[in-house]
Amino acid sequence: MYHKLQDFINDWTYESEATLKVFNNLSDESLTKAVNENVRTAGRLAWHITTSIGEMAHRTGLKLKTVANDSSIPATVKEIFNLYKEASENLLSEIKSSWNDETLFVEDDMYGEKWKRGKTLSVIVNHQIHHRGQLTVVMRLLGLKVPGIYGPSKEEWVEYGMTAEE
C-alpha cells in the first residue's frame, strides 16, 4: 500500500518504461501465436495490461482517457504500444492533478471489497508486473528477445561479454 503519492509516481514511471521495453520486443506476428491452449497469446496479455489501467483506475473515480476493457486487441504492436503509453501517461497525469497523500487513504468499492486508494495503486502496479512476467515467458517460447527489467536478461549477459546463466 502506498502512503506517499510520490512513491507510486516513482514506481509507476519505472514499471511503465519497463513494460514499454517488453512491448517493443514483440512482433506483429507474435501477437496471435498460441504457445498452448491454456496460455494467453502475447497480444491478449499485452492488451490486458493496457486495458486494465483504466478498468481499475475508473473504479476510484479517476477520469482518465483509456481504452475500454472489452475492446478488440489491435493487430499491431505499434497500436498496443501507443495506447498503453497514452493510458499510462494519462494515469500519472490524472493522479498528479487530482490526488495527494491524504487521498491514498480514501476507500473505494473494488470488486466487492473496500480498498484504500493506496492499496489500489499497489494492485495496479503489481497486476502489471504479474502479467508482464507472463508475457516474457510467452515471448521466450515464441523465440523473441526478452529485455532485462530488474537485471540483465540472458541475451544482455552475452552482450556484456559474460556467460549467460541458465
Side-chain angles (χ1 to χ4, degrees):
M1 166 146 166
Y2 289 100
H3 296 89
K4 298 284 183 193
L5 202 53
Q6 190 60 50
D7 292 338
F8 167 76
I9 292 167
N10 294 343
D11 285 351
W12 187 257
T13 299
Y14 181 85
E15 296 303 335
S16 177
E17 289 170 4
T19 298
L20 289 170
K21 274 176 59 175
V22 170
F23 285 7
N24 203 41
N25 283 10
L26 293 169
S27 66
D28 292 345
E29 299 75 32
S30 72
L31 296 179
T32 57
K33 286 186 180 176
V35 297
N36 181 287
E37 66 185 41
N38 296 313
V39 177
R40 292 176 179 177
T41 64
R44 166 54 51 209
L45 285 165
W47 194 234
H48 178 65
I49 292 167
T50 302
T51 61
S52 63
I53 295 170
E55 191 279 325
M56 287 190 219
H58 291 147
R59 292 174 181 268
T60 69
L62 287 170
K63 306 281 188 231
L64 60 136
K65 182 179 181 255
T66 63
V67 290
N69 198 40
D70 60 352
S71 58
S72 299
I73 302 169
T76 68
V77 173
K78 182 177 181 178
E79 289 175 272
I80 294 172
F81 183 98
N82 290 336
L83 289 166
Y84 170 84
K85 188 172 195 253
E86 180 182 22
S88 175
E89 289 171 354
N90 289 346
L91 175 66
L92 268 186
S93 177
E94 185 68 18
I95 284 177
K96 286 178 181 179
S97 67
S98 303
W99 288 9
N100 57 42
D101 290 346
E102 292 74 38
T103 309
L104 299 177
F105 297 93
V106 172
E107 291 186 340
D108 299 299
D109 180 11
M110 296 293 289
Y111 314 104
E113 298 178 357
K114 291 290 185 184
W115 292 2
K116 291 181 178 163
R117 290 179 177 171
K119 175 182 177 174
T120 300
L121 292 179
S122 292
V123 171
I124 290 172
V125 170
N126 292 332
H127 178 264
Q128 176 174 245
I129 293 167
H130 165 72
H131 289 297
R132 191 177 63 217
Q134 291 178 326
L135 178 56
T136 61
V137 170
V138 169
M139 290 169 68
R140 278 266 181 246
L141 293 172
L142 293 173
L144 299 173
K145 182 178 178 182
V146 175
I149 302 298
Y150 304 115
S153 67
K154 182 177 182 178
E155 294 87 353
E156 290 167 339
W157 278 111
V158 173
E159 289 171 13
Y160 299 147
M162 302 174 75
T163 303
E165 294 185 20
E166 291 296 319

